[in-house]
Amino acid sequence: MPVAIALAQLNFTVADIAGNSRKIVAAAQAARSQGADLVCFPELCVTGYPPEDLLFREDFIEQAARAVAEIAAQTAGIDVVIGCPRRRGTQLFNSALILRDGLVAAEYDKIALPNYGVFDEERYFSAGSGQLLWRLRDVRLGLTICEDVWRPGIIAANREAGADIILSLNASPFHAGKVHQREQIICGLSAAAQIPLVYVNQVGGQDELIFDGASFVADREGRIVSRAAEFDEQLRLARFDEGRPLPDEIAPAYSPVLSEYQALVLGIRDYVYKNGFQGALLGLSGGVDSALTLALAVDALGADHVEAVLMPSRYTLDMSVEDAIAEAEALGVRYHIIPIEPAVEAFNALLAPVFAGSGRDATEENIQARCRGVLLMALSNKQGKLLLTTGNKSEMSVGYATLYGDMAGGFAPLKDVYKTLVYRLAHYRNTLGAVIPERVLTRAPTAELAPDQKDEDSLPPYALLDPILEMYIELDMSAADILERGFPEEHVRRALALVDRNEYKRRQAPPGIRITPRAFGRDRRYPISSAYRGAASFSRPAGKE
Amino acid sequence: MPVAIALAQLNFTVADIAGNSRKIVAAAQAARSQGADLVCFPELCVTGYPPEDLLFREDFIEQAARAVAEIAAQTAGIDVVIGCPRRRGTQLFNSALILRDGLVAAEYDKIALPNYGVFDEERYFSAGSGQLLWRLRDVRLGLTICEDVWRPGIIAANREAGADIILSLNASPFHAGKVHQREQIICGLSAAAQIPLVYVNQVGGQDELIFDGASFVADREGRIVSRAAEFDEQLRLARFDEGRPLPDEIAPAYSPVLSEYQALVLGIRDYVYKNGFQGALLGLSGGVDSALTLALAVDALGADHVEAVLMPSRYTLDMSVEDAIAEAEALGVRYHIIPIEPAVEAFNALLAPVFAGSGRDATEENIQARCRGVLLMALSNKQGKLLLTTGNKSEMSVGYATLYGDMAGGFAPLKDVYKTLVYRLAHYRNTLGAVIPERVLTRAPTAELAPDQKDEDSLPPYALLDPILEMYIELDMSAADILERGFPEEHVRRALALVDRNEYKRRQAPPGIRITPRAFGRDRRYPISSAYRGAASFSRPAGKE
């Protein structure tokens, strides 16, 4: 007998229990009218994911429980599978609830609780301990929640218990390459157990995390027979006949650069609107970071909701102003030009008596960056627009940024984007329409805080710096390991030393969008007070051991 | 036969494996020369605690393992119990190692891994599964690590396995009242199992955490027979005869306000020196927060290493300047006076064309605060002194502070100190020597960012606000619960709404010293993008349910 299962790949808001409930009810009714027998929503869809320490609040858990009852009452005529935290005695579970005929008909508790990377689920939840099979006509569905299908044994245990199809509720965060990795591993486990699998993922941005959707259906050979689009809300029907999924549209998987670009656009849009801002603004310098950030913001919010501010100083070259204006005009955004010299001079004069006798150093560069920060924050405060910072992951790694200066702002779209990827994304954006002037993409990067300054005066060339950073930060490789791969010792030494000593800056950085397997933030929890020096392993030369 | 166990209550630095090792060897040699048979160090003393994500680095784990071998080689003649992370296969354990005759003679793995509050130990460690008894002459020591002695059953299991004395290695963080709570619970479990207990805690500040020491020995009736001082390094001998501890000096437990004051002093000192700063500076406003912060900084670092900056504006009353000068002179610290008007005027002039037609709002107040931030950071950058922020927990809770303005700085000593406690601590400090002018303690709190401004124009009175905040933030109470205790609805509503909406500011705040059971930071992980509104439960009036 054929059955139809709807995959509700939707964008929920953390703690907006009333809004999420309305969305669930509407999607369930739409799925029923399309002929679905069952509709499956993502993990913890009632509360949004991840609710973090809100899970410790009894009022929050109770509100979610009341919402489940209300959803059940409004979704008769179709089986509805939703995710919700669920109190039982003193324990809290990450549960899937099956609603039928206005009631909660069955519950399943997540078994595998991830407690690594960005996940802290053992902080909140007790682990479930058994399978749940749900009969839908003549088919038995085995329920799983997110991490369950990654951990060896749980899909197979469902198969052995008699499941015909695995139903998987997810809130699986994006990083570049994640769709491929996810399908590779989960379809492999599914094929090994010879059972088809329905994978429902949420979509949307939540602070630093992006959920990419890409929900799919795999057959018992582990082949994808249906895939929903990435980064978009979708309600998709999967039809099964004799327990076998019928082929359907397979949305093409995005290339890395395209998926990264879309993730950044979605991340900006959701952060701005979920936090109630009217739009965004940013400082436009004529460099590639702010150029890309502006293009992303316009693609996320529309040109009418974005504003650019040019703040030239005595060190700003004419071409920087020209290119910034050209981009603002190409994108059709409003822009202001506010030269910072009067403010910089006021500070220099105020500090002159105290600084008498000391030479010029980074202090004077920081004052310029901080004057820009004050101006941008004043505009943000006055207009209720979110200030976007434009720094990239290379800069965040080595601390090549001024606290309360160019780091001032509410959200940092490029925080997890290395400089070399900034260029790739900018080139990609120009293929959709040339908005970033060619010169911005070809001139040497400069902070323009001193005469003839170039990033490479202070830092290794980005083509070398970025892979060194990736090995050190994301792969936890030692200096010796990196050196062994042929990177020049002076660059490795300098890069690692800068990463080690700039944890304090990162701790005060605004949140940004995670697009790599390890971003700064929840993902990398380093002490500030720390004597760890990655470059110190150089002092044990291999030849002398 | 008598045995003597030395309790090494020392201050370690995270990741300073070489320095920590030297400290361990020196203390072991001192303990041996004092006649100790065994010396016990705190949890993870080799790496310092908590090493956080450094635990994912293989080079770090290997370096710690090499250090253990070196410590063993240098501590012959005494049994040495140290804490160190320990790799076994693919698993990492939080272990206690017993060194005898130059070798690692026994290992114990922590069973109870805390994964709540500030703790993330399940992120890193696998749990041990069995007891270790160590024979010291005719006495059998049962080993435990920190959380082990809090969890029911582990002390008793050691007793049943034949232990005569429980030896407990700890890194137990301070909050007000923790010493009492710790002794109450652990001595209770020890008395229930009728076994004496030796509790060794580390001392020192590590980023937001303070470890208070207060190591102790309890007899089998659960009575404290010996206690080391709080907040101080100590090497103390505990003598046992026939398995019973002999009475020794019991350091008196500090009163709450005294322990809080000492915790803040230690926290500042360790943050400044462990991060390599030469001293500290701060903005001194004439208000009580900066007055207390200055006194704490001087008590932590000495007057020669502290600098105060007065930055009056047109709204600063003469008495503010007078009182600030009086305090700086009473404490003997160098101070500067830098009026901010020229910088404020420069910004106002630059922004006038853009702001034309819009009225005055918080933007103009923030500009003043941010001008002060720029000046203070310039002084910090030029001199290599750590900038201390002076905001308190009440302000951090409700967002009554300017990002990149008064929130600019590397460390926030009062971040976890409610305003009412700021006054108590200031009064206490004046009992040691009157340094804070009386008028600072009696005048109404004001930010002095607008004419005749008072905190209570914007906020509930602190005497009501602070308990509301404590119930909401630390106890997770709902609005209805708080209201039931008789707090005025308008104040509860306002306080909760402000807490909810200001998570974004707290996320960019500098680290500060935790002195309550729940500080902002690792302790309270709230989403920024969140529709949770604690005050919304008002919309369900009790009478209508």
Side-chain angles (χ1 to χ4, degrees):
Chain A
M1 206 190 303
V3 298
I5 296 174
L7 290 68
Q9 172 177 307
L10 300 178
N11 187 342
F12 298 97
T13 298
V14 165
D16 185 11
I17 293 176
N20 295 341
S21 298
R22 281 192 298 273
K23 205 160 201 171
I24 291 166
V25 169
Q29 290 169 349
R32 188 186 52 188
S33 73
Q34 288 171 30
D37 301 294
L38 177 145
V39 56
C40 182
F41 291 88
E43 181 179 18
L44 294 188
C45 57
V46 174
T47 56
Y49 185 93
E52 304 189 58
D53 280 8
L54 286 169
L55 290 167
F56 294 141
R57 302 198 67 91
E58 277 314 308
D59 56 345
F60 184 71
I61 301 299
E62 285 164 17
Q63 197 194 342
R66 285 194 299 271
V68 169
E70 286 162 23
I71 293 167
Q74 294 171 64
T75 51
I78 184 169
D79 288 1
V80 178
V81 184
I82 55 175
C84 190
R86 184 105 169 151
R87 162 92 46 222
R88 215 162 53 233
T90 59
Q91 294 183 298
L92 190 70
F93 295 89
N94 180 339
S95 302
L97 309 174
I98 306 186
L99 315 180
R100 176 180 281 183
D101 298 332
L103 294 171
V104 176
E107 296 171 28
Y108 167 77
D109 301 320
K110 187 175 185 177
I111 294 172
L113 300 174
N115 206 65
Y116 57 82
V118 299
F119 302 108
D120 284 312
E121 291 198 17
E122 293 183 0
R123 180 175 172 88
Y124 309 109
F125 297 116
S126 300
S129 53
Q131 277 75 45
L132 172 73
L133 294 193
W134 180 249
R135 183 171 286 277
L136 185 68
R137 300 179 184 246
D138 60 348
V139 166
R140 285 154 302 182
L141 302 176
L143 260 71
T144 60
I145 302 176
C146 212
E147 190 79 2
D148 285 339
V149 291
W150 294 78
R151 191 165 295 182
I154 295 182
I155 287 179
N158 272 282
R159 183 71 179 121
E160 282 158 30
D164 301 307
I165 299 170
I166 298 288
L167 194 59
S168 174
L169 293 74
N170 298 274
S172 176
F174 167 83
H175 60 72
K178 183 72 172 283
V179 169
H180 177 73
Q181 180 193 28
R182 194 187 283 149
E183 293 180 357
Q184 190 86 350
I185 292 180
I186 296 170
C187 292
L189 291 170
S190 163
Q194 295 206 294
I195 185 166
L197 184 141
V198 175
Y199 186 96
V200 183
N201 192 18
Q202 72 171 350
V203 68
Q206 170 59 25
D207 289 351
E208 306 212 302
L209 300 181
I210 300 297
F211 299 90
D212 53 347
S215 301
F216 64 87
V217 178
D219 67 14
R220 71 184 56 184
E221 286 79 32
R223 288 175 303 219
I224 302 285
V225 298
S226 165
R227 183 196 291 125
E230 294 167 63
F231 308 111
D232 208 4
E233 291 195 306
Q234 304 236 316
L235 182 67
R236 166 173 288 241
L237 227 59
R239 296 180 192 281
F240 287 78
D241 198 15
E242 305 286 328
R244 291 183 171 273
L246 304 183
D248 196 355
E249 192 189 345
I250 300 178
Y254 286 160
S255 70
V257 77
L258 183 53
S259 70
E260 286 153 348
Y261 195 89
Q262 291 304 324
L264 296 172
V265 167
L266 178 59
I268 293 171
R269 185 187 302 135
D270 274 7
Y271 194 88
V272 168
Y273 292 133
K274 288 184 179 179
N275 283 291
F277 288 98
Q278 295 307 308
L281 64 89
L282 53 79
L284 195 64
S285 69
V288 69
D289 298 317
S290 61
L292 176 62
T293 306
L294 181 64
L296 288 164
V298 168
D299 290 348
L301 309 171
D304 290 351
H305 296 96
V306 181
E307 214 168 291
V309 190
L310 284 66
M311 294 167 291
S313 76
R314 73 186 73 174
Y315 304 117
T316 306
L317 300 183
D318 288 345
M319 69 169 158
S320 301
V321 177
E322 290 160 17
D323 290 346
I325 291 174
E327 191 194 3
E329 290 180 346
L331 286 165
V333 302
R334 190 172 165 218
Y335 64 92
H336 312 281
I337 303 181
I338 309 178
I340 62 169
E341 282 305 320
V344 174
E345 279 168 23
F347 283 117
N348 286 340
L350 287 170
L351 288 163
V354 189
F355 286 179
S358 57
R360 187 186 160 90
D361 55 26
T363 305
E364 284 72 18
E365 299 187 13
N366 288 335
I367 287 172
Q368 298 168 60
R370 292 194 178 114
C371 284
R372 295 190 175 108
V374 174
L375 289 167
L376 289 167
M377 284 302 297
L379 288 161
S380 170
N381 289 162
K382 191 65 94 183
Q383 305 182 352
K385 289 204 173 94
L386 177 69
L387 174 56
L388 301 175
T389 66
T390 61
N392 59 59
K393 187 172 191 174
S394 309
E395 292 173 356
M396 274 299 93
S397 301
V398 298
Y400 197 67
T402 300
L403 261 176
Y404 327 128
D406 52 308
M407 287 176 66
F411 199 58
L414 305 185
K415 188 178 179 185
D416 200 34
V417 182
Y418 290 112
K419 185 78 170 189
T420 46
L421 179 56
V422 169
Y423 282 104
R424 288 202 299 280
L425 288 166
H427 279 288
Y428 162 73
R429 178 59 183 83
N430 272 359
T431 65
L432 308 182
V435 293
I436 301 172
E438 189 58 26
R439 191 163 55 181
V440 173
L441 302 174
T442 52
R443 64 185 282 210
T446 164
E448 291 194 328
L449 293 170
D452 294 324
Q453 194 176 36
K454 299 277 175 296
D455 290 8
E456 291 191 9
D457 302 339
S458 311
L459 302 176
Y462 288 113
L464 295 175
L465 177 62
D466 287 354
I468 293 171
L469 294 174
E470 188 174 337
M471 286 185 278
Y472 189 58
I473 293 165
E474 293 174 37
L475 303 178
D476 284 330
M477 283 170 59
S478 69
D481 291 339
I482 298 170
L483 214 57
E484 213 166 71
R485 279 155 184 78
F487 288 86
E489 174 167 338
E490 64 172 300
H491 292 328
V492 179
R493 189 183 289 278
R494 175 132 187 86
L496 271 50
L498 288 170
V499 172
D500 291 340
R501 91 158 76 113
N502 281 293
E503 184 58 31
Y504 76 99
K505 281 194 192 177
R506 291 188 287 267
R507 200 65 72 87
Q508 291 190 46
I513 301 166
R514 177 178 183 265
I515 63 160
T516 72
R518 188 179 287 168
F520 296 118
R522 287 287 152 79
D523 231 359
R524 186 178 187 270
R525 306 177 188 178
Y526 265 54
I528 298 176
S529 307
S530 162
Y532 181 78
R533 296 295 174 263
S537 56
F538 284 128
S539 61
R540 302 166 49 92
K544 290 201 182 170
E545 279 187 338
Chain B
M1 204 190 303
V3 298
I5 297 174
L7 290 69
Q9 172 176 306
L10 300 178
N11 188 342
F12 298 97
T13 298
V14 164
D16 185 11
I17 292 177
N20 295 340
S21 298
R22 282 193 298 274
K23 206 160 201 170
I24 291 166
V25 169
Q29 290 168 350
R32 188 186 52 189
S33 72
Q34 289 172 29
D37 301 295
L38 178 145
V39 56
C40 182
F41 291 88
E43 180 179 17
L44 294 188
C45 57
V46 174
T47 55
Y49 185 95
E52 306 189 58
D53 280 8
L54 287 169
L55 290 167
F56 293 139
R57 302 196 68 89
E58 277 314 307
D59 56 345
F60 183 71
I61 301 299
E62 286 165 15
Q63 197 193 343
R66 286 195 299 271
V68 168
E70 286 163 23
I71 293 167
Q74 294 173 63
T75 51
I78 183 169
D79 289 1
V80 177
V81 184
I82 55 176
C84 190
R86 185 106 168 149
R87 161 92 46 223
R88 214 160 56 233
T90 60
Q91 294 182 298
L92 190 69
F93 295 90
N94 180 339
S95 302
L97 309 173
I98 306 186
L99 314 180
R100 176 180 279 182
D101 298 333
L103 295 171
V104 176
E107 296 172 27
Y108 167 77
D109 302 321
K110 186 174 184 177
I111 295 172
L113 300 173
N115 205 65
Y116 57 82
V118 299
F119 302 108
D120 284 311
E121 291 198 17
E122 293 184 0
R123 181 174 171 89
Y124 310 109
F125 297 116
S126 300
S129 54
Q131 277 74 46
L132 172 73
L133 294 192
W134 179 250
R135 182 170 287 276
L136 184 67
R137 300 180 184 247
D138 59 349
V139 164
R140 284 156 302 183
L141 301 176
L143 261 71
T144 60
I145 302 177
C146 211
E147 190 79 2
D148 285 340
V149 292
W150 294 78
R151 192 165 294 183
I154 295 182
I155 287 179
N158 272 283
R159 183 70 178 122
E160 280 158 31
D164 301 307
I165 299 170
I166 298 290
L167 194 60
S168 174
L169 292 74
N170 298 275
S172 175
F174 168 82
H175 60 73
K178 183 72 171 282
V179 169
H180 177 74
Q181 181 193 27
R182 195 187 280 150
E183 293 181 355
Q184 190 85 350
I185 291 180
I186 296 169
C187 293
L189 291 170
S190 163
Q194 294 205 296
I195 185 166
L197 185 141
V198 175
Y199 185 97
V200 183
N201 193 17
Q202 72 170 350
V203 69
Q206 169 60 24
D207 290 351
E208 305 213 302
L209 300 182
I210 299 296
F211 299 91
D212 54 346
S215 301
F216 65 86
V217 179
D219 67 14
R220 70 182 58 183
E221 285 78 31
R223 290 175 303 218
I224 303 286
V225 298
S226 166
R227 183 195 293 125
E230 294 167 63
F231 306 110
D232 208 5
E233 291 196 307
Q234 305 235 315
L235 183 67
R236 165 173 290 241
L237 229 58
R239 295 180 193 282
F240 287 78
D241 199 16
E242 306 286 329
R244 291 183 171 274
L246 304 183
D248 196 353
E249 191 188 348
I250 300 177
Y254 287 159
S255 69
V257 77
L258 183 54
S259 70
E260 286 153 347
Y261 196 89
Q262 291 304 323
L264 296 172
V265 167
L266 178 59
I268 293 171
R269 185 187 301 134
D270 274 8
Y271 194 88
V272 168
Y273 292 133
K274 288 183 178 179
N275 283 292
F277 289 99
Q278 296 306 307
L281 64 88
L282 53 79
L284 195 65
S285 69
V288 67
D289 298 318
S290 62
L292 176 62
T293 307
L294 181 64
L296 287 163
V298 168
D299 291 347
L301 309 171
D304 290 351
H305 296 96
V306 181
E307 214 168 290
V309 189
L310 284 65
M311 294 167 292
S313 76
R314 73 186 73 175
Y315 304 117
T316 306
L317 300 182
D318 288 345
M319 68 170 160
S320 301
V321 177
E322 291 160 16
D323 290 345
I325 291 175
E327 191 193 2
E329 290 181 346
L331 285 165
V333 302
R334 190 172 166 218
Y335 63 92
H336 312 281
I337 302 181
I338 308 179
I340 62 168
E341 282 305 321
V344 174
E345 278 168 24
F347 283 117
N348 286 340
L350 286 171
L351 288 162
V354 189
F355 286 179
S358 57
R360 187 186 159 91
D361 56 24
T363 306
E364 284 72 19
E365 300 186 13
N366 288 335
I367 288 172
Q368 298 169 60
R370 292 192 179 114
C371 284
R372 295 192 173 107
V374 174
L375 289 167
L376 289 167
M377 284 303 296
L379 288 161
S380 170
N381 289 162
K382 191 66 93 183
Q383 304 181 353
K385 289 204 173 94
L386 176 69
L387 174 56
L388 300 175
T389 65
T390 62
N392 59 59
K393 187 173 190 175
S394 309
E395 293 173 355
M396 274 298 95
S397 301
V398 297
Y400 197 67
T402 300
L403 261 176
Y404 327 128
D406 52 308
M407 287 177 65
F411 200 58
L414 305 185
K415 188 179 181 184
D416 200 34
V417 182
Y418 288 113
K419 185 78 171 189
T420 46
L421 180 56
V422 169
Y423 282 103
R424 288 203 299 280
L425 289 165
H427 279 288
Y428 162 74
R429 178 58 184 82
N430 272 359
T431 66
L432 309 181
V435 293
I436 302 171
E438 189 58 26
R439 191 162 54 181
V440 173
L441 301 174
T442 52
R443 64 186 283 212
T446 165
E448 290 195 328
L449 294 170
D452 295 325
Q453 194 175 36
K454 300 277 174 293
D455 289 10
E456 292 192 8
D457 302 339
S458 310
L459 303 177
Y462 288 112
L464 295 176
L465 177 62
D466 287 356
I468 293 171
L469 294 174
E470 189 174 337
M471 287 184 277
Y472 190 58
I473 294 164
E474 292 174 38
L475 303 179
D476 284 332
M477 283 168 59
S478 69
D481 291 339
I482 298 171
L483 215 58
E484 213 167 71
R485 278 153 184 80
F487 288 86
E489 173 167 339
E490 65 173 299
H491 292 329
V492 179
R493 188 184 289 277
R494 175 134 186 84
L496 271 52
L498 289 170
V499 172
D500 291 340
R501 92 159 76 114
N502 282 292
E503 184 59 30
Y504 75 100
K505 282 194 190 176
R506 291 188 287 269
R507 201 64 74 85
Q508 292 190 47
I513 302 167
R514 177 179 182 264
I515 64 160
T516 72
R518 187 180 287 166
F520 296 118
R522 289 285 152 82
D523 230 0
R524 185 179 187 271
R525 307 178 188 176
Y526 266 55
I528 298 176
S529 307
S530 162
Y532 181 77
R533 296 294 174 263
S537 56
F538 284 129
S539 62
R540 302 166 49 91
K544 289 203 181 168
E545 277 187 339

